[in-house]
């Protein structure tokens, strides 16, 4: 059931490679595998938006629902020039297995619009979001499909989506997660993904019997996930030595003052120019000697071409599929462990689950409760995964897919899909 790894594969083929390998180890029914290799539904929509220039621009939007055997579909909405159908399909598949790994009662979905939000006004983004929501509204629902923010979207985007959906279907705050707290969002949702990343690093350091203060961390990406990862890792005692954003990176091997960097970023809009630190490119940043390398920006940044140059002891996947299959092979041969994205960045969907349940109950948890419950789930899943990896002699990624494919396959059989 396994297939050879091609040097260059599409994002969806990359995810399927892990699924096929897990299905082979688990001896999963071929009929179940046939269901898992394709999406249950894929919506492709034409999104017309009247721009500030009065010109009508047509964007391409998608919503992919991969598998709903374990519950309603759950997954973010990405606004990015490369958010094409295959990318969205791959992310929807990853959400299926991420939710299963975390034992959340959700299936996997993802949405995307091919656009560049950095070059759009707030009014244009508002129009785009509302138009997109209207085009996919018929397949959304609090017990059907619940979107959340992803790359290029945020709490404001979710507020627009909630309002656009509500204008047609009635006030439904639980239709999206990652909303502003004032509109029914959960405390702690903004920091959830980064906190999950930091918790995984802390727990791995404990396995290594290492003091975080002795460990150097490099973070590629200083958006929501990367900045919270750096902030919380610093609070846990890790020494963050390099970070980057779309404009470039900075490095100080003695350690960056993350609190001061946050103040700089709030004014400059970039980490570049911060002192004391040396400028580095995003490409060079990946090759800085460190203990934990955290790719927290785009996918497919560590490939078969550059994996030989990685000088980290451990790669911690905060972004979605930042390591390609060929990159994985090179890192495995070099005995560099990779903590997989389906675990590492699952803090976001976990707190989205908390938000969804709070909306259904019409009761809000305090921040302390959210953090405590998130940590409990992340720690339990981390050790379950590492225990499975040690027991079976598999990599952490293989163990993650073994657990998740096993759970999804069981739900498929119990529901009588095959």
């Amino acid at each position: 059931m396994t297939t050879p790894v091609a040097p260059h594969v599409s994002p969806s083929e990359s995810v399927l490679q892990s699924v096929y390998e897990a299905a082979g180890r688990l001896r999963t029914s071929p009929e179940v595998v046939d269901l898992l290799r394709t999406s249950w539904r894929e919506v492709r929509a034409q999104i017309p938006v009247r721009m500030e220039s009065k010109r009508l621009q047509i964007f391409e939007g998608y919503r992919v629902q991969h598998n709903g055997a374990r519950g309603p579909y759950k997954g973010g909405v990405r606004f990015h020039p490369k958010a094409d159908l295959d990318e969205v399909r791959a992310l929807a598949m990853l959400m299926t297995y991420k939710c299963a790994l975390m034992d959340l009662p959700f299936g996997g979905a993802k949405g995307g619009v091919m656009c560049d939000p950095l070059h759009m006004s707030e009014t244009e983004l508002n129009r785009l979001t509302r138009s997109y929501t209207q085009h996919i509204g018929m397949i959304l629902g609090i017990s059907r499909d619940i979107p959340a923010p992803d790359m290029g979207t945020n709490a404001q985007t979710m507020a627009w989506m909630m309002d656009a959906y509500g204008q047609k279907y009635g006030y439904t705050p639980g239709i999206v997660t990652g909303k502003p707290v004032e509109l029914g969002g959960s405390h702690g949702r903004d920091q959830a993904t980064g906190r999950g990343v930091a918790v995984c690093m802390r727990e791995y350091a404990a396995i290594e019997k290492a003091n975080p203060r002795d460990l150097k961390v490099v973070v590629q990406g200083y958006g929501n996930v990367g900045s919270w990862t750096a902030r919380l890792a610093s609070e846990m005692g890790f020494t963050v030595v390099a970070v980057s954003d779309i404009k470039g990176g900075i490095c100080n091997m003695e350690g960056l003052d993350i609190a001061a960097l946050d103040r700089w970023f709030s004014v400059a809009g970039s980490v570049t120019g911060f002192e004391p630190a040396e400028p580095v490119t995003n490409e060079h940043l990946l090759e800085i000697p460190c203990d934990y390398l955290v790719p927290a920006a785009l996918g497919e940044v560590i490939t078969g071409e550059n994996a030989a140059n990685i000088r980290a002891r451990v790669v911690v996947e905060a972004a979605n599929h930042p390591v390609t299959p060929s990159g994985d092979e090179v890192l495995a041969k070099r005995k560099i462990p990779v903590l997989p994205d389906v675990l590492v960045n699952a803090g976001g969907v976990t707190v989205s689950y908390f938000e969804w349940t709070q909306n259904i109950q019409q009761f809000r948890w305090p921040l302390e409760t959210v953090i405590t419950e998130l940590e409990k789930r992340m720690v339990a899943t981390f050790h379950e995964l590492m225990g499975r990896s040690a027991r079976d002699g598999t990599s952490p990624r293989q163990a993650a897919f073994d657990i998740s494919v096993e759970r999804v396959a069981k739900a498929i059989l119990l529901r009588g899909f095959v």
Side-chain angles (χ1 to χ4, degrees), residues 291-311:
D291 295 288
Y292 298 165
L293 171 62
V294 185
L298 294 171
E300 301 183 330
V301 295
I302 299 178
T303 66
E305 286 71 38
N306 68 354
N309 301 325
I310 300 298
R311 291 191 282 174

Side-chain angles (χ1 to χ4, degrees), residues 347-396:
V349 71
T350 301
V351 175
S352 276
Y353 166 58
F354 297 163
E355 181 176 334
W356 180 70
T357 59
Q358 290 172 72
N359 290 156
I360 291 172
Q361 296 169 342
Q362 298 186 35
F363 180 82
R364 178 172 289 148
W365 298 0
L367 176 61
E368 295 75 16
T369 300
V370 173
I371 291 174
T372 299
E373 292 299 318
L374 172 61
E375 290 230 358
K376 281 165 55 177
R377 282 183 176 261
M378 290 299 303
V379 170
T381 304
F382 175 90
H383 289 287
E384 178 185 20
L385 185 153
M386 297 306 293
R388 179 77 170 250
S389 174
R391 187 196 79 183
D392 297 346
T394 54
S395 70

